[in-house]
Amino acid sequence: DAGITQSPRHKVTETGTPVTLRCHQTENHRYMYWYRQDPGHGLRLIHYSYGVKDTDKGEVSDGYSVSRSKTEDFLLTLESATSSQTSVYFCAISESGGRETQYFGPGTRLLVL
Amino acid sequence: QQQVKQSPQSLIVQKGGISIINCAYENTAFDYFPWYQQFPGKGPALLIAIRPDVSEKKEGRFTISFNKSAKQFSLHIMDSQPGDSATYFCAAKRNSGAGSYQLTFGKGTKLSVIP
């Protein structure tokens, strides 16, 4: 998985609680992404980062925030989890300089009850 | 405009047969078209990719055919094997400023290759 770890790998939480997912990379890649994967929807981009402290919204950003204080870490926060945020969350990284391959982490399975 | 439409949703192919997955797009800003392969419990992994100035790209048993005028592209898996059983996603890339880019994914095709 190209030097990408995600934690936790599984989480069960209750509606209304805050949740933070962590993506850690050892590749020193500039770009990092958070996706969610749901049956029938494929992969949808939540937020992405193009450098430390530089982030932008993706297709399905409502209810999510991100932070990147170090090159290697990209955090995804669900401010107040809802059942509709039950999903598998994938982090991805890519190099700078026009390289277009995104490498994906192993995923975090989140269940919001 | 951002959508990538993928078909079929699921596909069953006999071992040794040809698997064909199709994708279509509308946004002419897309300039790179990768295919990802995902096994259960794993993250997607890049399989093969093509640029719109090329009509076909082949890597081993995997071939992408690209029709720019029709805004369609497809993945062909020749001599399909049980180990090819996975979910396949097409994607399309567009630039999004600050040197970054975004991938828009199709909804996926679950391929089952039966012996």
Side-chain angles (χ1 to χ4, degrees):
Chain A
D1 292 319
I4 308 169
T5 56
Q6 293 185 232
S7 58
R9 293 294 314 279
H10 303 270
K11 186 169 181 67
V12 180
T13 191
E14 294 187 349
T15 298
T17 59
V19 176
T20 296
L21 309 181
R22 180 184 183 230
C23 177
H24 178 78
Q25 58 143 330
T26 58
E27 306 295 327
N28 200 36
H29 285 0
R30 177 180 175 185
Y31 302 96
M32 300 185 75
Y33 309 81
W34 276 109
Y35 291 88
R36 60 178 291 174
Q37 183 174 37
D38 305 288
H41 289 277
L43 290 141
R44 292 180 291 174
L45 181 66
I46 305 171
H47 282 280
Y48 65 98
S49 169
Y50 47 94
V52 173
K53 298 192 189 304
D54 293 322
T55 65
D56 205 348
K57 296 179 180 180
E59 180 188 352
V60 290
S61 59
D62 287 348
Y64 301 94
S65 63
V66 290
S67 66
R68 192 169 176 201
S69 59
K70 297 184 290 185
T71 298
E72 58 266 34
D73 289 325
F74 193 31
L75 304 180
L76 176 70
T77 298
L78 289 65
E79 304 289 348
S80 177
T82 68
S83 59
S84 65
Q85 293 176 313
T86 291
S87 187
V88 180
Y89 291 87
F90 286 99
C91 172
I93 63 174
S94 66
E95 294 179 85
S96 58
R99 299 281 181 95
E100 292 137 326
T101 301
Q102 287 189 13
Y103 299 95
F104 283 79
T108 293
R109 189 172 293 274
L110 176 67
L111 174 62
V112 184
L113 299 174
Chain B
Q1 277 282 313
Q2 301 304 327
Q3 221 176 0
V4 176
K5 295 183 180 179
Q6 183 173 346
S7 63
Q9 267 189 299
S10 62
L11 182 60
I12 300 173
V13 173
Q14 290 272 353
K15 179 183 175 182
I18 302 173
S19 304
I20 302 174
I21 304 170
N22 300 299
C23 287
Y25 65 98
E26 289 294 327
N27 191 343
T28 55
F30 291 138
D31 62 2
Y32 180 72
F33 300 87
W35 284 86
Y36 280 79
Q37 180 188 55
Q38 184 180 29
F39 293 104
K42 301 289 187 182
L46 179 68
L47 183 64
I48 187 173
I50 196 168
R51 300 189 184 281
D53 55 348
V54 176
S55 61
E56 184 175 284
K57 183 175 182 180
K58 184 176 181 180
E59 290 184 1
R61 297 185 293 109
F62 300 91
T63 300
I64 301 178
S65 297
F66 190 88
N67 185 329
K68 187 174 182 178
S69 61
K71 297 180 191 169
Q72 295 175 348
F73 57 110
S74 60
L75 175 70
H76 292 64
I77 306 174
M78 312 299 287
D79 187 27
S80 298
Q81 299 297 313
D84 297 330
S85 298
T87 299
Y88 293 82
F89 294 94
C90 62
K93 170 220 164 216
R94 66 177 177 88
N95 296 323
S96 53
S100 65
Y101 67 91
Q102 294 187 35
L103 290 178
T104 300
F105 285 83
K107 295 184 178 182
T109 297
K110 185 175 182 180
L111 171 65
S112 299
V113 181
I114 54 177

